[in-house]
Amino acid sequence: MSHAAPVAPDKPLVVLTQRTVWLIFGALMASMFLSSLDQTIVGTAMPTIVGELNGVEHQGWVITAYILAVAIGMPLYGKFGDLYGRRWPFLVAIGLFTLASAGAGFAQNMPELVIWRAVQGLGGGGLMILSQSIIADIVPASERGKYMGPLGALFGISAVLGPLLGGWLTEGPGWRWTFWLNIPVGIAAFAIAWFALKLPSHRSSRPVDWAGIVTMAVATTGIVMVTSWESLSSGGYDWSNWRLSGLVVLTLAAVAAFVLVETRAKEPLIPLRLFKNRTFTITTLIGLVLGMGMFSAMAMIPTFLQMSTGAGVTESGWLMLPMMAGMMLTSIVSGIAISKTGKYKAYPVAGLIVVILAMVWLTTLSGDMSMWTFGAMIFTLGAGMGLVMQTVVLAVQNAVDPHELGTATSANNFFREIGAAVGSALFTTIFTTRLTDNLTEVFAGMPGGATAGGESSLTPAAVQQLPEPFKSGVIDAYADSLAPSFWYLVPLVGVGLVLALFLPVIKLSDVAGMVARGEAVADPAKAGALDAVPEAVPSEGEEDVAGPASDDDGPGTRERADIVGS
């Protein structure tokens, strides 16, 4: 077995005082605010951007490029953070996001915007994964719940500010400022992270899994493109199209190659042995089905609101706030409760039950329903999701080897992102198929038949100008197309509920990830005493709840050797 050199005496352990923890947490908050605010702002401005750049036919690529880059970047940041430390990857992620924001603001055509949005996605995926991993590094699982509150509030604030700022900037200074606004925020976030994010960096002699990276990227690209084909191709899902059929074959081959490569890699990008850990497998599957259900529900509801109420994009964003409020409330309350009791299994179970009930309720959507009733529906949906999302991440981080926190966190989020892409595509296909049939019936009696271009030619303003009974007919067509579609999501979330019932109950660790790896101490009085640190790390040959530790010459063993030998 090869051993790395002992820890150098000029690299003292990080002392995780409360002040240090909150400084690092503040840096993470600033960076996550940058990413979450961008999503709501750009979403509001997108119709104007597409119109000005004459790129309606490329609008799908703007969304797909970002989702694809986020999905591909997640496993990379997770793995490289585990191997080399998370400080520099985090700074790179902020830098990429800020640079891409400037580039997107200067874009003169849709291809340029698509490219810059992809670069933004690479940065955004890193901010998401590394923030979750760093919190696990500095805060024990038993105390991590209370930090969910500020994070939940952060997303709630960005959800409120985003539509407001996006609408104001688009109608005032111009849509380019929806991107340029990120520049000062990004610079501030980078400066805060540079000074506050004092995390250890280290070298690794382990080989990079380049074959795994390439096959993962190809497979992910194929999955996202196949599921987004409806918006990327004018012909839709025409299986006689050799491009679509070839893409499916290439995707399946890439998935098979990835699995084969990962079984043989010395340092796999996503170690398949993680799936031997019941907690990891169950939480990952829950994330997959929740991603399919959650993003599917969120995809079409704003369109329904715009058509039924005549609300603009900004106003429809405001009408979605009850869902954000529900998510924020239950995320904060459950986080505090978990920290006090140390119990977490009940929350994803209860949350998935609430999500199912909310989706059943949403099947009663109608064109003339009260907005108060609609607000109650989506508040309930958000409340259920808030009980699940952060809790499953906490559970998986608590169950894996501290040396693989980033890898496990990124893998869990990666599969949720894939679920979101697949679920949104399937739900959208079901919805649009029903909508086309319903609108054909509505306009059958109109002089000249259906409107030219079908439903694609309808805008909220145009719907409000239609004479009766066509106006009510269109609104009812959207409601009658959307409401029954939620029945397809109910059994899917039901699978997640069954899985949650089998979630193992593991005592929440009272040791932060960096302390367990021997990179930090929690008590200043122990800053110079390493004799207590090995107790937080599994001894050589011992297995923890995640299964076997790293290979003998893997990162976990090397760092344990560093601790003992120093």
Side-chain angles (χ1 to χ4, degrees), residues 81-167:
D82 283 342
L83 290 178
Y84 308 113
R86 304 193 217 285
R87 171 180 166 82
W88 289 107
F90 193 79
L91 292 172
V92 167
I94 298 176
L96 281 175
F97 196 92
T98 306
L99 176 65
S101 297
F106 285 109
Q108 298 301 308
N109 51 58
M110 286 299 286
E112 288 183 16
L113 181 62
V114 168
I115 291 171
W116 285 116
R117 283 295 283 170
V119 178
Q120 262 194 323
L122 288 175
L127 293 177
M128 186 187 310
I129 293 304
L130 293 171
S131 294
Q132 293 179 353
S133 301
I134 291 171
I135 291 174
D137 278 343
I138 63 175
V139 180
S142 57
E143 301 176 13
R144 210 170 297 153
K146 63 185 179 184
Y147 290 85
M148 294 180 188
L151 287 176
L154 177 75
F155 286 110
I157 292 171
S158 65
V160 173
L161 284 180
L164 179 63
L165 284 174

Side-chain angles (χ1 to χ4, degrees), residues 160-178:
V160 173
L161 284 180
L164 179 63
L165 284 174
W168 180 78
L169 289 171
T170 302
E171 296 170 0
W175 65 264
R176 297 183 185 276
W177 284 97
T178 63

Side-chain angles (χ1 to χ4, degrees), residues 288-297 300 355-356 358-364 381 419 422-435 437-438 479-496:
L288 182 73
V289 298
L290 189 65
M292 294 178 73
M294 178 181 69
F295 286 97
S296 298
M300 289 294 109
V355 169
I356 290 174
M359 287 186 173
V360 172
W361 195 5
L362 282 166
T363 62
T364 65
L381 180 64
V422 174
S424 296
L426 294 175
F427 188 82
T428 302
T429 300
I430 294 170
F431 171 73
T432 53
T433 300
R434 287 177 175 272
L435 182 62
D437 294 339
N438 290 342
D480 293 342
S481 302
L482 181 61
S485 301
F486 285 105
W487 283 117
Y488 291 92
L489 301 179
V490 170
L492 186 66
V493 181
V495 172

